[in-house]
Amino acid sequence: MPTNLLEVDPVEPSEAVIGAAAEAVRRGQVVAIPTDGLYSLVADPFNLQAVGRVFAAKGREPVRSLPLLVSELSMAEELCAEVSARFRLLARVFWPGPLTVIVPASPKVPLRATGNTGRLGLRHSRSQVAQALLQRLQQPLIATSANISGQPTCTSGISVFGTMDGRLDLVLDGGTCPGFGPTTIDITEPYWRVIKEGAVPEKELAEVLRQT
């Protein structure tokens, strides 16, 4: 399938471009957008065909969970089977920002989107493009790194297009994303652990979580 490319202002995205991306998501398509430090593939997590297309686009094993983007804490809480004090503390300190928090998934989240694990990564991005799209759609979005599994994550729209042309439906090119990708922390067990360290250092997480 051909991949379309639209330029987007990452600070003040136009309603027309966000509208085109939103319509693509509603049709079950996969869209690449600039987020915190990297480009992400977004799609509708409640559309099982769209979920499958994300796995196919990345060549990703379907036993791995797909993170979700949220626009606010209340949206995140609806996706959690259990809302812990630890989760609320991390969200209050680090959101919006480059931190993905793995939590037990609510039954409302399709099991396929969790990679049949029953766990879910949640993130509230600072990206104005992500926020505008979430506000337009009024729902969470799959947001996994824009790359083919095992290869480096793309940090510019052109690199996404060059690497994944034919695997995606639309790329919103907002230039190069500055900084590092998100840190991922798992709080589903009694002892939290960092799965992947990115823009938020593990030391900062440890200092905050000492309060719980």
Side-chain angles (χ1 to χ4, degrees):
M1 61 181 178
T3 298
N4 293 322
L5 181 71
L6 291 176
E7 291 188 3
V8 64
D9 185 329
V11 179
E12 296 182 0
S14 74
E15 290 189 10
V17 172
I18 295 301
E23 185 57 33
V25 171
R26 291 190 186 103
R27 292 197 299 264
Q29 296 181 346
V30 182
V31 180
I33 67 169
T35 58
D36 297 304
L38 49 76
Y39 274 69
S40 295
L41 305 184
V42 299
D44 182 354
F46 304 112
N47 181 327
L48 294 184
Q49 182 178 3
V51 173
R53 293 185 71 180
V54 173
F55 279 116
K58 288 178 64 72
R60 184 182 178 115
E61 295 178 358
V63 294
R64 297 180 60 193
S65 175
L66 293 170
L68 299 190
L69 273 178
V70 297
S71 59
E72 56 190 10
L73 181 58
S74 61
M75 181 182 287
E77 290 177 342
E78 292 179 0
L79 301 169
C80 299
E82 175 186 356
V83 180
S84 65
R86 183 180 286 170
F87 172 73
R88 285 199 174 101
L89 179 60
L90 288 171
R92 188 178 76 239
V93 174
F94 295 105
W95 281 4
L99 181 67
T100 299
V101 184
I102 298 176
V103 298
S106 163
K108 74 182 293 181
V109 180
L111 194 58
R112 188 176 185 186
T114 74
N116 295 312
T117 65
R119 301 186 307 158
L120 183 66
L122 297 174
R123 182 157 60 98
H124 182 187
S125 174
R126 293 193 191 103
S127 163
Q128 294 303 310
V129 175
Q131 285 301 304
L133 188 55
L134 287 161
Q135 291 296 331
R136 176 68 68 95
L137 291 167
Q138 291 294 296
Q139 67 164 76
L141 290 170
I142 291 169
T144 184
S145 56
N147 65 312
I148 296 171
S149 288
Q151 297 186 13
T153 299
C154 298
T155 58
S156 72
I158 292 299
S159 64
V160 175
F161 188 81
T163 301
M164 306 191 77
D165 185 20
R167 292 172 175 259
L168 312 177
D169 298 283
L170 175 63
V171 175
L172 298 190
D173 181 9
T176 301
C177 290
F180 298 98
T183 295
T184 300
I185 183 172
D186 186 342
I187 60 169
T188 61
E189 303 293 339
Y191 298 99
W192 61 270
R193 62 193 180 102
V194 170
I195 305 298
K196 180 181 179 181
E197 189 165 8
V200 179
E202 183 171 352
K203 180 181 179 181
E204 288 187 20
L205 296 171
E207 289 173 354
V208 169
L209 290 172
R210 286 195 188 101
Q211 303 174 40
T212 60

